[in-house]
Amino acid sequence: QVQLVESGGGSVQAGDSLRLSCASSGSAFSQYAVAWFRQGPGKERSFVAVASWTGHPRYYGDSVEGRFFISRDNTKNTVYLQMNGLKFEDTAVYYCAASPVLSLANYFRTGEYTFWGQGTQVTVSS
């Protein structure tokens, strides 16, 4: 069992930066691919970024490529999402999710991930 807890969300101005954290108490976490998804008001949950259990490879959604960066520290059982140049449309609840396998064909699908956190709210005002 892998339990995930997100933190680091908040309310910021457009152009600001935030760093989200996804922490797990389970030792197996370091063997899992971990992804970030987000769900804006009235929208479906969508893919943001994913990193394999080693941290590479990494993949990003088109709307965040070049602004957001995913990294992980397996000694701390934590995955990070550094978000730079935040935009109003980045407003969402951000979720981390874990899978024992990184599917190169389906990493962007919510159904590929077994474990999910409760989410952390990010609000960007323009």
Side-chain angles (χ1 to χ4, degrees), residues 28-101:
F29 181 74
S30 63
Q31 301 297 315
Y32 280 63
V34 176
W36 287 95
F37 286 78
R38 67 186 182 185
Q39 188 164 14
K43 298 181 181 179
E44 293 186 353
R45 195 168 297 190
S46 62
F47 171 75
V48 175
V50 64
S52 73
W53 71 275
T54 65
H56 295 275
R58 308 172 191 179
Y59 301 103
Y60 296 92
D62 290 343
S63 61
V64 305
E65 181 90 51
R67 297 189 299 124
F68 290 12
F69 301 93
I70 188 171
S71 62
R72 66 190 299 163
D73 184 343
N74 286 339
T75 65
K76 297 181 179 179
N77 272 3
T78 303
V79 173
Y80 304 99
L81 183 68
Q82 177 66 42
M83 306 186 295
N84 300 325
L86 283 161
K87 304 176 181 180
F88 175 75
E89 50 266 39
D90 294 320
T91 295
V93 177
Y94 284 72
Y95 300 90
C96 65
S99 171
V101 176

